[in-house]
Amino acid sequence: MPWLRSSPQCLSLSPGQRECERTAFSFYCAVRQQLPVWLLEEMRSMEVFCWDNGSPRAFLPSEALLYAIVHDHRDYARYLLNRFSVSALRAPSCSFCCCPGSGAPHLNVAVRYNRVAVLSMVMEALKDCDGPPGKRGEYLDGCGGCVHAADAGKTAVQLAVELSHPDCLLQLLVHGARPDGLEVALQRLVSCVVSERQAAQRCLDFLLLFLSKPPPLPWLRDEPQRWQGVLGDSVFSWLCGLAPSPLLLQALRCLAQSGSHCITSLPDFLQPHS
């Protein structure tokens, strides 16, 4: 069961811990079975417990949201985000992760499982994020999750590029996430199998839309013919710092700032293609 781990130092569990593991697993299964929201909330607040620092406690909304994301329980995710707002996006407690101080993994989990609809709900909830300026950006660009996980040290944007999940990537970029991962996107495009190439191409295109200035990539000039064939002359020249960004890209960039629907609803011949 994801995130629910006993301490490796504990060779035997107390009766209380065993009971918590049993009820926690029943809650996980209930979310997986897409049971009604009212029943899940009744279970979460009254019937199921997890073990935390030597005593049982009820599951937090942020922990329940992780289960809802994994199993694509959209109604439950919507309820949690509407009812608890950004508090449902806080980092889970130590009972969900063996690494104290780990960040909130909700964005990375949504991207890994390609939960575009739930990710869109999370983005809307983040609009209500209180705190000092930049707090929302810190959350979007944070490397959430356990350091032992496969996603350790990666932002949600970087993970979306690596997994070629363009719809998730567009959601993140439209809502202000930093457009990192251009080098990975380029390498992914030329190394992926044919069946994944369209998704990898769209990820690259979306990154280009939100890059005001490309990072220095001197290795592009080492194989100009290869990369000109992949990117086209105008985009290749822009990425090498030899020309301004193409006019079509500038126009699409302005359109993209209005929302992801403005890009995805364009006819195919106007979709961004490098």
Side-chain angles (χ1 to χ4, degrees):
M1 184 163 55
W3 309 294
L4 193 60
R5 300 176 182 174
S6 299
S7 172
Q9 287 77 28
C10 294
L11 299 179
S12 61
L13 300 179
S14 68
Q17 285 175 292
R18 285 197 295 269
E19 179 63 16
C20 283
E21 288 208 345
R22 185 190 67 78
T23 62
F25 184 66
S26 70
F27 182 54
Y28 175 83
C29 291
V31 179
R32 181 176 62 189
Q33 293 166 10
Q34 305 269 321
L35 294 185
V37 171
W38 68 267
L39 180 57
L40 293 174
E41 273 300 274
E42 187 173 276
M43 291 178 65
R44 184 186 70 82
S45 59
M46 298 174 60
E47 300 177 13
V48 300
F49 301 92
C50 61
W51 192 259
D52 190 4
N53 291 327
S55 62
R57 65 161 176 79
F59 279 85
L60 299 175
S62 62
E63 296 161 348
L65 181 59
L66 285 173
Y67 285 169
I69 293 172
V70 170
H71 297 301
D72 203 21
H73 197 324
R74 301 179 190 181
D75 290 340
Y76 194 29
R78 183 179 295 107
Y79 169 83
L80 291 167
L81 290 166
N82 288 340
R83 172 69 178 81
F84 300 101
S85 187
V86 293
S87 65
L89 298 172
R90 291 174 182 165
S93 76
C94 59
S95 64
F96 266 59
C97 177
C98 59
C99 305
S102 296
H106 299 86
L107 293 182
N108 282 31
V109 172
V111 170
R112 176 158 290 281
Y113 286 88
N114 204 23
R115 306 304 192 202
V116 181
V118 178
L119 183 61
S120 177
M121 298 176 201
V122 171
M123 293 295 101
E124 289 300 315
L126 282 175
K127 290 180 179 179
D128 301 326
C129 182
D130 296 324
K135 188 71 174 177
R136 181 166 167 267
E138 289 177 9
Y139 188 91
L140 286 170
D141 299 326
C143 301
C146 172
V147 298
H148 295 106
D151 306 341
K154 299 171 186 173
T155 67
V157 165
Q158 291 168 339
L159 188 62
V161 171
E162 182 180 293
L163 298 176
S164 294
H165 288 169
D167 294 327
C168 288
L169 178 61
L170 185 58
Q171 285 287 340
L172 293 163
L173 294 174
V174 164
H175 287 89
R178 189 168 55 241
D180 290 334
L182 179 60
E183 184 170 350
V184 173
L186 289 167
Q187 297 296 344
R188 174 97 176 120
L189 180 62
V190 296
S191 63
C192 66
V193 297
V194 175
S195 60
E196 299 174 349
R197 192 159 297 155
Q198 183 177 5
Q201 177 72 65
R202 286 183 63 77
C203 283
L204 173 60
D205 292 339
F206 291 149
L207 280 179
L208 295 177
L209 280 182
F210 289 85
L211 273 175
S212 57
K213 181 180 180 181
L217 300 171
W219 48 269
L220 282 180
R221 301 190 187 190
D222 296 338
E223 299 179 276
Q225 292 184 338
R226 179 194 189 195
W227 289 108
Q228 281 176 323
V230 171
L231 299 170
D233 291 340
S234 57
V235 172
F236 172 79
S237 297
W238 173 52
L239 293 181
C240 289
L242 304 174
S245 62
L247 290 176
L248 178 58
L249 192 60
Q250 295 180 40
L252 291 174
R253 185 178 298 141
C254 294
L255 189 63
Q257 305 302 323
S258 302
S260 59
H261 65 282
C262 294
I263 292 297
T264 55
S265 62
L266 288 173
D268 186 67
F269 72 93
L270 282 178
Q271 290 285 339
H273 298 295
S274 297

